Amino acid sequence: MLRTITTGESHGQYMAAILEGMPSGLDVDLDFINSELARRQQGYGRGGRQLIEKDRVELVGGVVRQKTTGAPIGFLLRNRDFKIREMPDVFHPRPGHADLAGALKYDQNIRPVLERASARETVMRVAVGALCKLFLCEFDIEIASHVVQIGGVCVPDKEDLAIDDIRKLTKKSSVNCISRKAEKEMMKAIDAARRQGDTCGGKFEVRVSGVPIGLGSYVHFERKLDGRLAQVLMSLQTVKAVEIGRGTELAGLSGSAAHDEIFHDKKRGFYHKTNRAGGLEGGVTNGADLIVRATMKPISTLGQPLMSVNMKTRVAEQAHYERSDICAVPAGSVIGESLVATVITDAMLEKFGGDSLGEIVRNYEGYLTQIYE
Ligand code: EPS
């Protein structure tokens, strides 16, 4: 239903995106979109680039008088750190980056590879995701995220964490964490990595409330919502694992401890008291909050680089180093919210689709009457 194309190099003049498939009649709050871009720039452990940029997008199509028109929506951002023409060619690939395979595959030096593989591209995905969040708000669907691990420091799992709790508890956190104690330890881990010319990864969790029963489908594999969420989260730079609900922990549980029993009352309709499934059963939402986690490996640009091979001379030498982040997990969690927002919006359009917001709201209300009466 929704299609997004992004373009732009990390140190190119512009970053841009086109979003196709958003219906007409949605109020576009540009300040909100830009505030989401600012959230993406934050987080302890970010590199010098975020001191240079003040990410803001302009809308270049598909929005008239602050309302979507149904036409493709264009987003444009100017990079302040625009210097790609002066940047040197690179020939010593970083282990863990797209450098080696990208240079061989596209038959070019590493510079254009690293410029496009860079996580700077996510700025456009957050702009698109912010618009999707505005769409979801019309249906009281809310999204929040928090960091549950950085390096060896973990926050204990809390199944019944509400969106408002996450927002309140992470509000003043430099690492988007709900625990002050863990936050301090996480910052120490980032400081230690920085001192050692190293980097650290971690894990973030995204939760979505207000999701109706029945988004996605079990009838065909491509329509399963868990698969669609996993694909988009895996596409985020550095992500190596995606979990839904209890995720990998389920491997060690018995069937009777792994699933969520079903209850019914007149006010709530069908519901579950536990949420080990993370709101998804059979690839379909079950009305509980969605819980998705993504694991980010440590960034592969290291102050103390690993050994590599010069692609021109074939002689062993240290990998390339260029300014980078020490830890991008707090930013990753903000990006994760946007990615999830895009998938849920797509699933909402698929189920309740229409050309205008008003038409979709009518379809949605008709469905709620069907399942709750
Ligand atoms: C990023 C901008 C980049 C990096 C980071 C993400 O800026 P620069 O390369 O100019 O320092 O900080 O990108 C990477 C981690 C990477 O591997 O390329 C951003 O805006 O998110």
Side-chain angles (χ1 to χ4, degrees):
M1 298 291 132
L2 273 186
R3 277 189 301 157
T4 306
I5 290 196
T6 69
T7 184
E9 279 69 41
S10 181
H11 302 95
Q13 193 163 7
Y14 302 104
M15 312 293 294
I18 294 180
L19 172 68
E20 205 277 313
M22 188 57 90
S24 70
L26 176 67
D27 283 321
V28 178
D29 179 348
L30 191 58
D31 289 342
F32 172 73
I33 296 174
N34 284 321
S35 72
E36 288 287 283
L37 301 190
R39 284 181 70 220
R40 193 201 73 95
Q41 287 198 272
Q42 289 163 11
Y44 196 73
R46 291 287 255 164
R49 180 71 181 272
Q50 306 312 324
L51 302 172
I52 302 171
E53 302 295 344
K54 258 207 164 9
D55 291 338
R56 292 187 69 80
V57 283
E58 293 168 52
L59 298 171
V60 295
V63 177
V64 173
R65 295 197 192 111
Q66 281 93 51
K67 270 195 193 295
T68 57
T69 64
I73 298 167
F75 302 78
L76 185 68
L77 176 143
R78 286 161 207 269
N79 279 321
R80 286 192 176 181
D81 203 21
F82 163 42
K83 56 181 184 196
I84 197 166
R85 291 187 201 126
E86 299 107 63
M87 294 186 96
D89 288 355
V90 178
F91 295 98
H92 33 314
R94 291 160 293 179
H97 216 281
D99 296 352
L100 175 63
L104 292 171
K105 177 177 163 69
Y106 288 96
D107 196 17
Q108 54 191 352
N109 90 84
I110 294 166
R111 169 62 54 198
V113 178
L114 71 85
E115 287 289 334
R116 183 58 190 161
S118 165
R120 175 112 192 105
E121 171 264 343
T122 59
V123 68
M124 298 323 293
R125 291 203 265 171
V126 171
V128 167
L131 188 68
C132 289
K133 278 187 175 184
L134 292 173
F135 171 84
L136 294 174
C137 267
E138 298 285 335
F139 302 89
D140 295 324
I141 298 174
E142 300 274 345
I143 304 183
S145 71
H146 62 119
V147 169
V148 295
Q149 183 173 354
I150 286 182
V153 186
C154 302
V155 179
D157 198 22
K158 261 184 137 185
E159 207 172 84
D160 57 350
L161 200 59
I163 297 289
D164 284 347
D165 295 334
I166 298 176
R167 287 192 179 142
K168 206 162 65 201
L169 293 168
T170 56
K171 201 165 182 188
K172 291 199 178 121
S173 172
S174 328
V175 287
N176 201 29
C177 179
I178 59 169
S179 154
R180 289 291 82 86
K181 190 166 161 272
E183 177 187 20
K184 279 195 193 133
E185 296 300 313
M186 287 172 175
M187 289 165 80
K188 276 194 210 160
I190 295 168
D191 288 339
R194 189 193 310 272
R195 276 196 305 275
Q196 288 152 18
D198 219 324
T199 57
C200 42
K203 196 187 281 201
F204 65 81
E205 178 175 276
V206 178
R207 293 195 180 217
V208 191
S209 67
V211 187
I213 296 176
L215 297 187
S217 180
Y218 61 88
V219 299
H220 195 248
F221 66 87
E222 289 166 310
R223 292 174 58 178
K224 287 176 184 266
L225 200 68
D226 39 12
R228 288 152 68 180
L229 285 165
Q231 193 284 326
V232 88
L233 283 160
M234 269 295 186
S235 77
L236 172 58
Q237 287 81 347
T238 76
V239 169
K240 280 293 195 189
V242 176
E243 295 170 86
I244 310 255
R246 286 288 165 112
T248 55
E249 195 192 322
L250 289 166
L253 300 182
S254 58
S256 57
H259 300 291
D260 306 299
E261 288 183 310
I262 300 168
F263 299 85
H264 183 271
D265 72 36
K266 272 199 180 140
K267 210 163 139 240
R268 293 180 65 178
F270 294 101
Y271 69 98
H272 305 84
K273 287 183 185 171
T274 52
N275 190 9
R276 295 155 186 151
L280 276 157
E281 290 169 292
V284 189
T285 56
N286 67 6
D289 285 1
L290 279 188
I291 307 176
V292 189
R293 280 188 296 278
T295 298
M296 296 170 72
K297 68 181 180 182
I299 287 169
S300 53
T301 309
L302 303 178
Q304 286 288 340
L306 294 174
M307 283 311 292
S308 181
V309 175
N310 187 310
M311 294 182 76
K312 253 201 318 204
T313 62
R314 305 287 200 257
V315 172
E317 62 181 71
Q318 280 197 315
H320 178 66
Y321 175 72
E322 201 165 281
R323 178 189 62 202
S324 185
D325 303 324
I326 306 297
C327 176
V329 184
S333 72
V334 174
I335 301 161
E337 288 176 31
S338 269
L339 300 180
V340 169
T342 314
V343 175
I344 306 300
T345 301
D346 189 47
M348 287 288 287
L349 292 172
E350 182 181 85
K351 174 118 187 76
F352 306 112
D355 298 306
S356 69
L357 184 62
E359 187 180 1
I360 298 168
V361 168
R362 284 196 301 279
N363 295 344
Y364 179 67
E365 284 168 357
Y367 174 72
L368 291 189
T369 309
Q370 173 200 312
I371 60 171
Y372 289 112
E373 275 180 10

Coordinates of all heavy atoms in Angstrom, one line a residue, residues 1-2 22 131-133 135-136 340-350:
M1 N 0.8 -1.2 0.0 CA 0.0 0.0 0.0 C 0.9 1.3 0.0 O 0.7 2.2 -0.8 CB -0.9 0.0 1.3 CG -1.8 -1.1 1.4 SD -3.1 -1.0 0.1 CE -3.1 -2.6 -0.6
L2 N 1.8 1.3 0.9 CA 2.8 2.4 1.0 C 4.1 2.0 0.4 O 4.6 0.9 0.6 CB 3.1 2.7 2.5 CG 2.2 3.6 3.3 CD1 2.8 3.8 4.7 CD2 1.9 4.9 2.6
M22 N 0.0 7.5 0.8 CA -0.7 8.1 2.0 C -2.0 8.7 1.5 O -2.0 9.4 0.5 CB 0.3 9.1 2.6 CG -0.2 9.7 3.9 SD -0.5 8.5 5.2 CE 1.1 8.4 6.0
L131 N 5.5 11.0 9.7 CA 4.2 11.2 9.1 C 3.3 10.0 9.3 O 2.1 10.2 9.6 CB 4.4 11.5 7.6 CG 3.1 11.9 6.9 CD1 2.7 13.3 7.3 CD2 3.3 11.9 5.3
C132 N 3.8 8.8 9.3 CA 3.0 7.6 9.6 C 2.5 7.7 11.0 O 1.4 7.3 11.3 CB 3.8 6.4 9.3 SG 4.1 6.1 7.6
K133 N 3.3 8.2 11.9 CA 2.9 8.3 13.3 C 1.7 9.2 13.4 O 0.7 9.0 14.2 CB 4.0 8.8 14.2 CG 5.0 7.8 14.6 CD 6.0 8.5 15.6 CE 6.9 7.5 16.2 NZ 7.8 8.1 17.2
F135 N -0.5 9.7 11.1 CA -1.7 8.9 10.6 C -2.2 8.0 11.7 O -3.4 7.9 11.9 CB -1.2 8.1 9.3 CG -2.2 7.1 8.9 CD1 -3.3 7.5 8.0 CD2 -2.2 5.8 9.3 CE1 -4.2 6.6 7.6 CE2 -3.1 4.9 8.8 CZ -4.2 5.3 8.0
L136 N -1.3 7.3 12.3 CA -1.7 6.3 13.4 C -2.4 7.0 14.5 O -3.3 6.4 15.1 CB -0.5 5.5 13.8 CG 0.1 4.6 12.7 CD1 1.4 3.9 13.2 CD2 -0.9 3.5 12.3
V340 N 8.7 0.8 12.5 CA 7.5 0.1 12.9 C 6.2 0.9 12.5 O 5.2 0.3 12.0 CB 7.5 -0.2 14.4 CG1 6.1 -0.7 15.0 CG2 8.6 -1.2 14.8
A341 N 6.3 2.2 12.7 CA 5.1 3.1 12.3 C 4.8 2.9 10.8 O 3.6 2.8 10.4 CB 5.4 4.5 12.6
T342 N 5.8 2.7 10.0 CA 5.6 2.6 8.5 C 4.9 1.3 8.2 O 4.0 1.2 7.4 CB 6.9 2.7 7.8 OG1 7.7 3.8 8.3 CG2 6.8 2.9 6.3
V343 N 5.3 0.2 8.9 CA 4.7 -1.1 8.7 C 3.3 -1.1 9.2 O 2.4 -1.7 8.5 CB 5.5 -2.2 9.4 CG1 4.9 -3.6 9.3 CG2 6.9 -2.3 8.8
I344 N 3.0 -0.6 10.3 CA 1.6 -0.6 10.9 C 0.7 0.3 10.0 O -0.4 -0.1 9.8 CB 1.6 -0.1 12.4 CG1 2.6 -0.9 13.2 CG2 0.2 -0.2 12.9 CD1 2.3 -2.3 13.3
T345 N 1.2 1.4 9.5 CA 0.4 2.2 8.7 C 0.1 1.5 7.4 O -1.1 1.5 6.9 CB 1.2 3.5 8.3 OG1 1.5 4.2 9.5 CG2 0.4 4.4 7.4
D346 N 1.1 0.8 6.8 CA 0.8 0.0 5.6 C -0.3 -1.1 5.9 O -1.2 -1.2 5.1 CB 2.1 -0.7 5.3 CG 2.1 -1.4 3.9 OD1 1.6 -0.8 3.0 OD2 2.5 -2.5 3.8
A347 N -0.2 -1.7 7.1 CA -1.2 -2.8 7.4 C -2.6 -2.1 7.6 O -3.6 -2.8 7.3 CB -0.7 -3.5 8.6
M348 N -2.6 -1.0 8.2 CA -3.9 -0.3 8.4 C -4.5 0.1 7.0 O -5.7 -0.1 6.8 CB -3.7 1.0 9.2 CG -3.4 0.8 10.7 SD -4.9 0.3 11.6 CE -5.8 1.8 11.7
L349 N -3.7 0.6 6.1 CA -4.2 0.9 4.8 C -4.7 -0.3 4.0 O -5.7 -0.2 3.3 CB -3.1 1.7 4.0 CG -2.7 3.1 4.5 CD1 -1.5 3.6 3.8 CD2 -3.9 4.0 4.4
E350 N -4.0 -1.4 4.2 CA -4.3 -2.6 3.6 C -5.7 -3.1 4.1 O -6.6 -3.5 3.3 CB -3.3 -3.6 3.9 CG -3.3 -5.0 3.4 CD -2.1 -5.8 4.0 OE1 -2.3 -6.3 5.1 OE2 -1.1 -5.8 3.3

